[in-house]
Amino acid sequence: MKLWCVYLISIYVACLRVSADKPCAPREFGAGNIVCVCNMTYCDTISKVAPVPVDQFVQYSTSRSGLRFHRTLGSFSDSPHPGGVHFTLNLTAKYQRIWGFGGAFTDAAGINIESLSLQAKENLMRSYFSTDGIEFNFGRVPVAGSDFSTHTYTYDDVRGDTNFTQYNLTDEDFFYKIPLIKEAQELSERGLHLVACAWTAPPWMKTNGDYSGFGFLKSEYYQAWADYLVKFLDEYKKQGLEFWGISTGNEPINGIIPVNRFNSMGWTPWSQRQWIKDNFGPTLKKSHYTVKLLALEDQRFMLPWWINVLMSDKQVEEYIDGIAVHWYWDSLFPPSLLDRTHNNFPDKFILATEACVGDKPWEFDKVKLGSWSRGEWYMEDILQVLYLDIVAHILT
Ligand SMILES: *[C@@H]1O[C@H](CO)[C@@H](O)[C@H](O)[C@H]1NC(C)=O
Ligand SMILES: *[C@@H]1O[C@H](CO)[C@@H](O)[C@H](O)[C@H]1NC(C)=O
Ligand SMILES: *[C@@H]1O[C@H](CO)[C@@H](O)[C@H](O)[C@H]1NC(C)=O
Ligand SMILES: *[C@@H]1O[C@H](CO)[C@@H](O)[C@H](O)[C@H]1NC(C)=O
């Protein structure tokens, strides 16, 4: 009997060893630009944080000089320490709740991930979604084509098909998005929140008859467009996937100031308010999906103005659950715009839904492997969004 116990313990210790973190296998692309190699035979891991005693803390460091999720244990002390940092924890002051972090299941992501060997793909997906990795728990899903597609398309490009008899998901859904989302869901322990977002309505519903350019939804198709979006939820449900949220559509400003040639559709806040009030809001409610409605889905500089216009109608305010914000131009527009929006509508959540470096026309290197400076842009933006109140509190 005793022997048996010892045997069990030794298995347990061996398992612990196996599940310890695998360190970063660094590879450098120019000075200070380090990536961790994740290939078919090796990928670094980060194990879940186990509870530590109340006077201790776990610190993870990532640095330009090459540390990646480097774990150290520290302890707090009660006595003041010359040159040390003094923390006061105020348990009654509560700031925002963080729902999580995520990425997007775009066509481009799917094409790249599916080009890997099976084992490399498995390692990549584990490092994003599993408890061995960073546990992404949000996934944005473009409704048909986006600016991360190889071509322009919608789910029903047949003119006048307002009953959607020709509506169909595409190869991009069946071969890239749906299988990858399912794989991510299986790897995820905490569950994956999916947020749907359409870039444009079919050209035949639009004033300019095109996928992009200066164009708006024709008012006679306001209801058809709401039906199309709910049909998307239906089609994904048939594939076993349900959504946590759906937005009013990607970057409406691109259909007013069309500098890019990718799927886009313009709204003004007044036309969007009308569509939410008369069509999208009631259609979603009737659909019985408990899906959250996200408004704006565009840049910070449009806050709080755009949301103020939408919310000026009480019915529209009731339909909207939250505000989706993109990060382009954040270097020019302060995070206080988020605070102002929050103060106007404290019961609506704010979610950052798109961030990408290399988007500007003058940024010729679309991919810069391991770029530390690009990493800093993301870090700065995330810190602004998460800690603004706290930073303001320390400064005042
Ligand atoms: C994968 O990366 C590791 C760590 O850099 C390396 O030792 C190994 O040879 C690589 N395997 C393949 C198949 O490239
Ligand atoms: C703690 O936070 C509450 C709520 O913000 C505030 O009223 C109170 O003054 C704070 N206490 C201290 C000691 O700063
Ligand atoms: C859509 O279906 C309705 C009801 O079956 C029918 O009356 C209408 O003509 C159809 N419209 C189109 C454009 O096919
Ligand atoms: C819809 O797409 C699937 C997968 O590409 C295909 O098998 C099916 O025939 C299509 N249906 C229609 C009505 O086009």
Side-chain angles (χ1 to χ4, degrees), residues 114-125:
E114 292 298 345
S115 73
L116 299 171
S117 70
L118 216 60
Q119 300 94 318
K121 178 182 143 187
E122 161 86 15
N123 279 340
L124 179 83
M125 293 296 282

Side-chain angles (χ1 to χ4, degrees), residues 169 178 182 230-243 287-290:
L169 299 181
I178 294 167
K182 287 191 170 169
V230 169
K231 195 162 170 61
F232 171 78
L233 300 177
D234 295 339
E235 295 299 317
Y236 262 60
K237 192 170 179 190
K238 281 185 212 157
Q239 302 296 322
L241 295 175
E242 295 208 43
F243 281 81
S287 75
H288 305 301
Y289 288 110
T290 51

Side-chain angles (χ1 to χ4, degrees), residues 33-333:
N33 295 341
I34 292 166
V35 303
C36 301
V37 176
C38 180
N39 61 19
M40 58 190 288
T41 55
Y42 190 88
C43 199
D44 49 304
T45 60
I46 322 157
S47 47
K48 255 182 133 55
V49 187
V52 293
V54 72
D55 60 342
Q56 293 185 356
F57 60 88
V58 177
Q59 172 178 312
Y60 286 90
S61 308
T62 291
S63 67
R64 178 159 209 154
S65 56
L67 293 181
R68 291 292 182 271
F69 291 111
H70 179 72
R71 186 190 148 110
T72 47
L73 195 64
S75 53
F76 293 111
S77 103
D78 284 340
S79 47
H81 190 301
V85 179
H86 186 82
F87 285 100
T88 307
L89 200 57
N90 183 346
L91 293 175
T92 54
K94 296 234 168 93
Y95 296 96
Q96 76 240 47
R97 180 169 163 210
I98 301 169
W99 273 335
F101 292 85
F105 293 93
T106 61
D107 297 350
I111 291 165
N112 282 297
I113 295 169
E114 292 298 345
S115 73
L116 299 171
S117 70
L118 216 60
Q119 300 94 318
K121 178 182 143 187
E122 161 86 15
N123 279 340
L124 179 83
M125 293 296 282
R126 291 193 71 80
S127 76
Y128 274 114
F129 296 102
S130 80
T131 52
D132 289 344
I134 55 176
E135 293 198 80
F136 270 9
N137 64 335
F138 269 84
R140 188 173 182 226
V141 184
V143 176
S146 71
D147 45 319
F148 292 86
S149 299
T150 56
H151 61 117
T152 49
Y153 64 95
T154 75
Y155 294 132
D156 195 338
D157 288 328
V158 180
R159 175 169 292 277
D161 183 28
T162 48
N163 288 344
F164 301 121
T165 54
Q166 308 294 316
Y167 190 106
N168 204 2
L169 299 181
T170 63
D171 285 353
E172 283 83 354
D173 296 281
F174 293 116
F175 297 126
Y176 300 128
K177 295 180 194 171
I178 294 167
L180 283 177
I181 295 168
K182 287 191 170 169
E183 207 171 315
Q185 275 185 334
E186 274 162 31
L187 290 169
S188 155
E189 197 182 88
R190 295 185 296 161
L192 196 58
H193 300 69
L194 299 176
V195 186
C197 175
W199 264 243
T200 182
W204 53 269
M205 291 191 194
K206 293 170 67 183
T207 52
N208 62 341
D210 200 353
Y211 291 99
S212 59
F214 180 78
F216 302 85
L217 187 66
K218 287 182 175 170
S219 55
E220 69 252 45
Y221 294 124
Y222 273 20
Q223 186 52 44
W225 180 231
D227 294 340
Y228 173 109
L229 293 171
V230 169
K231 195 162 170 61
F232 171 78
L233 300 177
D234 295 339
E235 295 299 317
Y236 262 60
K237 192 170 179 190
K238 281 185 212 157
Q239 302 296 322
L241 295 175
E242 295 208 43
F243 281 81
W244 173 87
I246 186 166
S247 82
T248 45
N250 187 64
E251 301 186 353
I253 207 97
N254 293 344
I256 304 174
I257 311 166
V259 287
N260 293 309
R261 286 296 298 174
F262 55 72
N263 280 13
S264 56
M265 182 164 76
W267 292 101
T268 67
W270 300 279
S271 63
Q272 193 167 67
R273 183 178 63 193
Q274 201 63 41
W275 174 67
I276 296 170
K277 182 185 171 81
D278 296 340
N279 312 101
F280 196 38
T283 305
L284 268 187
K285 275 277 168 303
K286 251 192 297 176
S287 75
H288 305 301
Y289 288 110
T290 51
V291 67
K292 296 192 191 306
L293 177 53
L294 280 68
L296 187 70
E297 194 74 275
D298 211 331
Q299 313 308 325
R300 183 190 280 174
F301 63 74
M302 293 153 73
L303 290 173
W305 165 68
W306 188 282
I307 292 298
N308 287 349
V309 175
L310 295 186
M311 303 287 202
S312 66
D313 185 298
K314 286 292 145 208
Q315 253 178 302
V316 172
E317 184 176 348
E318 272 174 35
Y319 286 130
I320 292 172
D321 296 288
I323 298 150
V325 202
H326 295 184
W327 87 325
Y328 311 95
W329 313 109
D330 277 6
S331 55
L332 302 178
F333 299 90

